[in-house]
Amino acid sequence: EPEVTQTPSHQVTQMGQEVILRCVPISNHLYFYWYRQILGQKVEFLVSFYNNEISEKSEIFDDQFSVERPDGSNFTLKIRSTKLEDSAMYFCASKKKGTNSPLHFGNGTRLTVT
Amino acid sequence: DAKTTQPPSMDCAEGRAANLPCNHSTISGNEYVYWYRQIHSQGPQYIIHGLKNNETNEMASLIITEDRKSSTLILPHATLRDTAVYYCIVRADNYGQNFVFGPGTRLSVLP
């Protein structure tokens, strides 16, 4: 069964550094998402992306964050200057065409900012 | 904010049916009910979704009350690997609506 894949599984970075989290969505999916989960807290929506542009973003997704689909298969989340509070699991998700089709999630990247 | 209410935790004996309730009393006509689960810190796993009819797949059954104000996810024969946090999500049938996760129900399947 096709699945969403995310790399790396764990990323350690120093505060102030830029990080790029990578995702390969399911191949026939058209809608792409990033969520995050701080340890012990809820899964939180960050951003949705369709037709090469951001559809919606949450308050968390400030100017330090950006997303890109550079080559038609990868979907990336960039954090320009990481802060300690960016430490979390970051989940990529995708869904196919169809308003009620479900999201399918990857297994996440654990980002640790030191 | 999530539009659903779930008990924070439940236990179930291995091999028995696990019945996880969800209250969504303010659900509107075009909103679907979705169930996901999260094992440890893995990504949320899609289980099932429905609008008003009961649904069944290889993982679970979804029973939605006639007034659609509540639903139950049924795992017919729970195993230890079903121990997870289960999320009930209500989402409207349009592209602008995102999936909003609440705290979910932590299901513990006991040997």
Side-chain angles (χ1 to χ4, degrees):
Chain A
E1 186 174 326
E3 57 183 29
V4 176
T5 56
Q6 291 185 243
T7 55
S9 56
H10 191 185
Q11 174 88 49
V12 181
T13 189
Q14 288 192 324
M15 194 168 52
Q17 296 296 305
E18 174 184 286
V19 293
I20 298 176
L21 309 183
R22 303 181 192 279
C23 168
V24 179
I26 296 172
S27 63
N28 64 343
H29 285 192
L30 301 176
Y31 301 85
F32 313 110
Y33 301 77
W34 284 100
Y35 282 75
R36 80 170 186 190
Q37 186 175 33
I38 294 170
L39 186 64
Q41 298 186 23
K42 293 187 290 186
V43 178
E44 301 174 288
F45 168 75
L46 292 179
V47 66
S48 58
F49 190 87
Y50 170 69
N51 202 25
N52 282 320
E53 60 182 25
I54 290 174
S55 310
E56 191 170 346
K57 58 185 180 179
S58 71
E59 292 178 352
I60 302 167
F61 194 88
D62 61 21
D63 292 344
Q64 293 299 312
F65 291 87
S66 62
V67 289
E68 193 178 30
R69 189 157 159 79
D71 57 12
S73 62
N74 291 285
F75 180 52
T76 62
L77 174 69
K78 182 192 291 186
I79 308 175
R80 191 169 305 124
S81 177
T82 50
K83 304 188 282 276
L84 294 176
E85 54 265 38
D86 294 327
S87 294
M89 286 291 294
Y90 287 82
F91 297 111
C92 173
S94 66
K95 73 188 275 298
K96 62 183 181 183
K97 187 177 180 179
T99 52
N100 67 62
S101 58
L103 288 187
H104 294 272
F105 286 81
N107 271 332
T109 293
R110 179 176 298 283
L111 177 65
T112 302
V113 182
T114 62
Chain B
D1 287 332
K3 304 175 189 176
T4 61
T5 305
Q6 299 178 252
S9 63
M10 293 181 63
D11 292 338
C12 176
E14 187 180 16
R16 304 296 293 268
N19 297 284
L20 294 104
C22 180
N23 183 290
H24 31 80
S25 57
T26 60
I27 194 170
S28 350
N30 69 339
E31 289 183 318
Y32 281 71
V33 180
Y34 296 79
W35 282 85
Y36 283 79
R37 72 181 182 183
Q38 189 175 26
I39 298 172
H40 298 301
S41 292
Q42 295 178 21
Q45 179 188 21
Y46 166 71
I47 301 173
I48 200 167
H49 74 289
L51 182 62
K52 53 185 177 182
N53 296 324
N54 298 337
E55 302 287 345
T56 295
N57 62 21
E58 65 278 3
M59 290 182 69
S61 295
L62 173 60
I63 308 299
I64 303 175
T65 57
E66 195 168 335
D67 63 8
R68 304 209 320 122
K69 292 180 186 286
S70 65
S71 60
T72 302
L73 179 75
I74 301 172
L75 308 178
H77 305 286
T79 71
L80 299 179
R81 286 178 294 182
D82 292 321
T83 292
V85 179
Y86 287 77
Y87 302 99
C88 170
I89 297 171
V90 161
R91 176 188 171 269
D93 184 16
N94 67 63
Y95 290 116
Q97 287 288 310
N98 291 313
F99 290 76
V100 177
F101 286 79
T105 295
R106 181 172 298 278
L107 175 69
S108 299
V109 180
L110 307 174

